[in-house]
Amino acid sequence: MVSLLPVSGLDDSQRDLFAGYVEVYAASGRSLFGDDHAAWGADELRVLEAKPDRRTLNVAAVGSDDTVVGAASVVLRLRDNPRAGFISLAVHPEHRRRGVGSRLLAWVEEQARQAGRSIFIVETEWRDRDTDSHGEGFAARHGYQPVQHTLRSTLRLPLDRAALADLERGSGHYALETSVDGIPDAWLENRAELQRRMSTDAPLGELQLEEEDWDAERVLDQYATILAMGRRVVETVARHLPSGRLVGYTQVQVSPETPTLGYQQDTLVVKEHRGHALGLRLKAANTAAVIEHLPQVTAIRTWNADDNTHMLAVNRRLGYEVDAHLCEWQKVLG
Ligand SMILES: CC(C)(COP(=O)(O)OP(=O)(O)OC[C@H]1O[C@@H](n2cnc3c(N)ncnc32)[C@H](O)[C@@H]1OP(=O)(O)O)[C@@H](O)C(=O)NCCC(=O)NCCS
């Protein structure tokens, strides 16, 4: 008999239960991608759960021998997207097709519904040249619609430094500035504005997401979170020299869970400054900085909407190759 138990990473008396909960996501990732998988670590999830800008509700499915066989969570953001619930869900590969996933999904959906949320979002992933069996077989069956298809691409490092330097060059109206493991105060105001725009400028498919409200304090808080998770972070911005304003940025994070893998985060060039190859220059400069400051990193991974043709073209130019896919599934309550 499998029971559902709410679990918190912040409750010391549930340490083992939480470890089992985290391990289910890792086991599920390994079954999809083998050694090439990546999953959140327990300490990273604890830092995120403690953040006051969200409520995180986790649940573990526990078998009669106390083994955790399934895990789910819903994140309710408190600062933006007040109608949305962001759901994660995995069942250990050896315990599938026994109704555990359906029970976990019903639990997180009910928590979200009680908290006044009416848009539920969940992701599925699959290897390149495979099919989205979990999305088509499970999410669709539970009333979810596929609303955005994302390509996962990987860049193998190191790259030739001189070739990267060539890609960094361009119009003298812009200067690139890089920062490692922190953000200069002088960037903060402009950087917050860029992040606000990033939340709706990147293609969103049919995802019903709203603009996020960013200020300097929130950017600083985000940096504090990244560092508290034990992550390294390399960021490059583009400054428009005539106005002195920041007009683009790109960021790579490296988790202590997977120290050889860089996660590409946001890349944005504001609309008014597109067409100057700034996306390519930013990413080339940031990649060079990752190679220089974090030489243990052997790959950077990125996720792009399949209709984000400009970003995909930049990535191909740098040498990224598509190796997996992700689909965002959404259910909107009537
Ligand atoms: C998707 C997942 C959570 C399903 O967990 P589960 O415990 O096997 O789900 P259930 O037993 O409740 O499945 C209910 C029904 O969904 C359908 N289903 C589930 N997995 C399926 C699959 N891989 N292919 C086709 N149909 C599937 C079936 O109709 C199943 O009923 P049946 O077994 O009587 O035929 C699990 O496979 C998993 O962890 N996948 C990887 C992580 C993931 O994709 N998470 C996001 C899910 S939206």
Side-chain angles (χ1 to χ4, degrees):
M1 177 60 194
V2 170
S3 320
L4 302 193
L5 296 180
V7 55
S8 165
L10 306 177
D11 180 345
D12 262 353
S13 70
Q14 292 190 317
R15 234 181 150 76
D16 290 347
L17 182 62
F18 190 66
Y21 164 91
V22 173
E23 173 51 27
V24 168
Y25 289 110
S28 174
R30 280 194 296 274
S31 78
L32 271 174
F33 296 117
D35 288 341
D36 209 16
H37 90 288
W40 294 95
D43 288 337
E44 291 180 314
L45 288 175
R46 268 190 266 278
V47 171
L48 292 174
E49 192 182 332
K51 282 177 70 72
D53 65 353
R54 67 192 65 192
R55 256 181 85 204
T56 305
L57 299 155
N58 306 318
V59 61
V62 184
S64 42
D65 60 354
D66 284 348
T67 315
V68 182
V69 298
S73 76
V74 60
V75 174
L76 312 174
R77 295 194 196 160
L78 303 177
R79 206 169 156 161
D80 50 55
N81 288 287
R83 293 176 59 212
F86 297 88
I87 293 174
S88 304
L89 168 66
V91 174
H92 192 287
E94 287 164 19
H95 298 270
R96 290 183 181 164
R97 305 304 287 264
R98 294 176 207 164
V100 175
S102 301
R103 285 178 63 198
L104 287 167
L105 184 62
W107 190 94
V108 285
E109 284 184 351
E110 181 54 20
Q111 298 294 318
R113 203 189 55 75
Q114 283 180 18
R117 308 286 163 139
S118 53
I119 302 170
F120 305 150
I121 296 164
V122 67
E123 294 173 354
T124 52
E125 288 181 287
W126 65 100
R127 277 181 192 277
D128 194 33
R129 291 180 229 287
D130 216 339
T131 55
D132 183 12
S133 56
H134 305 297
E136 284 153 21
F138 181 83
R141 190 193 147 113
H142 288 85
Y144 285 74
Q145 309 283 335
V147 284
Q148 188 169 49
H149 175 208
T150 296
L151 302 175
R152 188 188 93 173
S153 318
T154 303
L155 177 69
R156 300 286 158 195
L157 298 183
L159 294 177
D160 177 46
R161 186 70 190 83
L164 279 175
D166 273 350
L167 297 177
E168 280 171 43
R169 270 191 272 282
S171 154
H173 285 113
Y174 300 94
L176 303 182
E177 300 168 21
T178 296
S179 179
V180 179
D181 295 337
I183 184 159
D185 286 348
W187 290 7
L188 283 175
E189 287 297 335
N190 277 186
R191 178 59 174 70
E193 166 68 11
L194 294 179
Q195 187 124 10
R196 184 180 66 72
R197 294 186 52 170
M198 178 73 206
S199 63
T200 49
D201 263 10
L204 288 174
E206 293 161 54
L207 277 167
Q208 295 189 22
L209 296 179
E210 296 164 11
E211 186 169 271
E212 296 171 6
D213 130 51
W214 282 87
D215 56 17
E217 197 186 331
R218 188 169 178 186
V219 174
L220 269 181
D221 177 64
Q222 188 199 41
Y223 258 86
T225 301
I226 295 167
L227 297 174
M229 287 194 290
R231 290 184 163 212
R232 309 291 307 273
V233 53
V234 180
E235 177 161 331
T236 298
V237 295
R239 187 180 296 283
H240 178 237
L241 292 171
S243 65
R245 296 188 66 78
L246 302 188
V247 297
Y249 74 105
T250 189
Q251 188 192 76
V252 168
Q253 294 178 18
V254 180
S255 161
E257 297 291 319
T258 45
T260 59
L261 178 63
Y263 289 98
Q264 175 67 54
Q265 308 289 314
D266 297 346
T267 299
L268 175 79
V269 175
V270 293
K271 287 197 177 85
E272 309 84 288
H273 293 272
R274 291 184 188 160
H276 301 282
L278 281 177
L280 181 63
R281 292 179 63 193
L282 278 165
K283 288 193 82 165
N286 209 48
T287 305
V290 169
I291 294 168
E292 183 184 341
H293 297 282
L294 307 177
Q296 75 280 10
V297 174
T298 53
I300 302 180
R301 189 163 283 166
T302 188
W303 284 261
N304 307 105
D306 63 354
D307 56 347
N308 196 348
T309 41
H310 294 303
M311 199 72 256
L312 287 165
V314 163
N315 289 342
R316 263 195 304 276
R317 205 54 210 282
L318 283 161
Y320 278 87
E321 287 179 8
V322 173
D323 55 10
H325 302 254
L326 182 151
C327 185
E328 305 269 2
W329 294 81
Q330 178 174 269
K331 175 150 117 183
V332 182
L333 299 185

